[in-house]
Amino acid sequence: LGRTAEAVAQLVDEARYPVVIVGGRARSAREELIAVADELALPVYNAFRRQDAFPENHARYAGHLGIGIPARQLDALERADLVLALGTQLDEVTTQSYRYPTPSQTLVLVGTGIEPARRGGLTFRVDSEVEPFLRELRDVASPRTRRASAANAAVHTFMTPPDTSGATRVHPADVIRAVRKLAPEDAIVTSDAGNFAQFMHRYWCFTAPRSQLGPSNAAMGYAVPAAVAAKLAEPRRTVIAMVGDGGALMTGQEIETAVRYRVPVTVLVFQNGLHGPLAVRQARKHGRLSGVTVPVTDFASWARGLGAAGYTVDDREQLEPIIASALVRQRPCVIDIRTDPDVVTPDIRLTSLLGAARPQQGQQ
């Protein structure tokens, strides 16, 4: 490991714009990574849905490589000549549809049990746990001084929730803002797949270690079972599940498991009556929707039927008092939040897509 670290240190010393992408398998190396980022002046990106790997309020944080990331936040990665991928498989979303690392960028892939990346550029694989590797790297690499990247400045703008004071219905960003305000700093957040999750990825600032659980693919139905498991593993921490109405109808009945084992999790159901990703694709391509609506469900009554506490929020003024009440209850709680169906992502309104699309020639 010593010689390998020396070789990587030489690459870092010679690189003009080295960057780091860190994944879930590097969570145990968090403190060592922070020290390396400070001493070597390395911009650090978190892999998709691994936002707790590196604190998002750190000066070297360059952004979350998720969905809908603006070009200015990719500045450090675009300019990089060396990419250190620590404990991550470099999946489709993290690589921004396999755009990065580019063939001209040298890739150093560090971690055990990680498949080598198939790419055209120069790749070095280090078969080592991330923490001891970083410790060795700190010992041999030369300290660097460089101001924070433009990507870090873009992060703060990107993560600032919008002004929703003029909204007549509950905006998903209001939900994230309210929960982040009321929940403890070290709360564990589990999330499902779906467009609603983009609001959490963008506006929740992950600062505590081991505070995020989410699928790195598009699998629905993850959040509620994951929350039950997380609370059993960390009984002293607040655990919050965020799930869409479609995902809740798939595996939300695991609330009964939480009731049976007396696991006080809080489940936020973002109910907009749509399978969001499918609705966006249909609206963009066809200018209409077909088979993507989800019937209005009374999730509060459903939760009470399973033995949990149930609340319904259909007005933004109800958000904070109901969330505050749920977070201090010593029993599983479900909050059915009726969000605006037009606000399908932080940047997309469904009506805009429907209005802009033109039916393809020959379509009826």
Side-chain angles (χ1 to χ4, degrees):
L1 184 58
R3 290 184 178 179
T4 302
E6 288 178 2
V8 175
Q10 185 174 351
L11 291 174
V12 173
D13 291 344
E14 294 174 353
R16 295 186 62 191
Y17 300 108
V19 302
V20 172
I21 300 175
V22 59
R25 299 188 188 189
R27 284 181 171 123
S28 61
R30 178 186 170 99
E31 295 307 315
E32 200 66 43
L33 174 60
I34 292 171
V36 168
D38 284 333
E39 293 178 21
L40 305 186
L42 299 174
V44 180
Y45 287 94
N46 282 324
F48 180 47
R49 290 184 175 152
R50 301 297 181 261
Q51 293 170 263
D52 57 346
F54 188 80
E56 295 191 310
N57 60 347
H58 193 280
R60 294 294 171 187
Y61 179 57
H64 168 226
L65 293 174
I67 297 170
I69 305 303
R72 62 186 180 277
Q73 200 170 314
L74 296 170
D75 171 74
L77 188 54
E78 181 68 33
R79 297 171 60 189
D81 51 359
L82 174 66
V83 176
L84 302 178
L86 308 178
T88 177
Q89 286 281 11
L90 295 177
D91 57 68
E92 181 180 3
V93 180
T94 297
T95 60
Q96 305 294 286
S97 298
Y98 301 108
R99 178 179 174 184
Y100 303 105
T102 66
S104 64
Q105 295 171 330
T106 299
L107 170 64
V108 177
L109 197 61
V110 181
T112 59
I114 295 176
E115 292 295 323
R118 297 181 181 179
R119 56 186 299 267
L122 187 61
T123 302
F124 297 95
R125 177 139 187 260
V126 180
D127 189 10
S128 164
E129 295 293 343
V130 175
E131 186 172 12
F133 168 78
L134 289 177
R135 194 178 301 116
E136 292 280 350
L137 183 64
R138 279 184 68 194
D139 289 341
V140 294
S142 303
R144 300 164 65 102
T145 55
R146 186 186 296 274
R147 65 182 182 182
S149 69
N152 179 262
V155 163
H156 297 289
T157 301
F158 185 69
M159 294 179 65
T160 301
D163 179 5
T164 59
S165 57
T168 57
R169 306 187 67 172
V170 178
H171 193 293
D174 291 334
V175 183
I176 306 303
R177 181 164 29 209
V179 182
R180 195 71 184 91
K181 174 182 176 181
L182 296 168
E185 189 75 13
D186 69 342
I188 299 172
V189 178
T190 72
S191 69
D192 231 76
N195 282 349
F196 81 91
Q198 292 187 38
F199 295 92
M200 182 272 292
H201 295 318
R202 183 161 172 173
Y203 301 127
W204 189 284
C205 184
F206 287 90
T207 58
R210 297 183 299 109
S211 56
Q212 183 184 33
L213 289 171
S216 58
N217 53 26
M220 294 174 65
Y222 179 92
V224 177
V228 175
K231 187 65 176 178
L232 287 170
E234 295 275 7
R236 296 183 180 276
R237 295 174 69 179
T238 297
V239 178
I240 302 164
M242 298 191 185
V243 61
D245 39 3
L249 289 171
M250 289 183 180
T251 58
Q253 64 271 20
E254 293 298 338
I255 283 294
E256 189 279 330
T257 305
V259 171
R260 185 158 24 105
Y261 286 95
R262 299 179 181 179
V263 181
V265 297
T266 299
V267 178
L268 308 180
V269 181
F270 290 69
Q271 181 167 198
N272 68 354
L274 290 170
H275 288 293
L278 298 177
V280 168
R281 290 172 192 167
Q282 289 183 2
R284 182 177 282 137
K285 185 174 181 179
H286 304 295
R288 60 185 175 84
L289 304 180
S290 176
V292 295
T293 57
V294 180
V296 175
T297 303
D298 186 350
F299 285 105
S301 294
W302 166 81
R304 288 192 289 270
L306 293 171
Y311 305 87
T312 300
V313 172
D314 53 18
D315 185 290
R316 53 190 309 215
E317 298 302 321
Q318 301 171 310
L319 269 174
E320 287 199 18
I322 288 180
I323 290 171
S325 177
L327 289 175
V328 297
R329 302 270 320 245
Q330 292 302 305
R331 62 185 295 198
C333 297
V334 175
I335 307 178
D336 175 7
I337 306 173
R338 311 292 174 88
T339 62
D340 188 345
D342 192 41
V343 186
V344 285
T345 79
D347 301 307
I348 296 175
R349 301 297 174 267
L350 192 59
T351 50
S352 298
L353 291 181
L354 291 168
R358 294 290 182 269
Q360 296 180 350
Q361 187 175 6
Q363 265 190 337
Q364 298 297 320

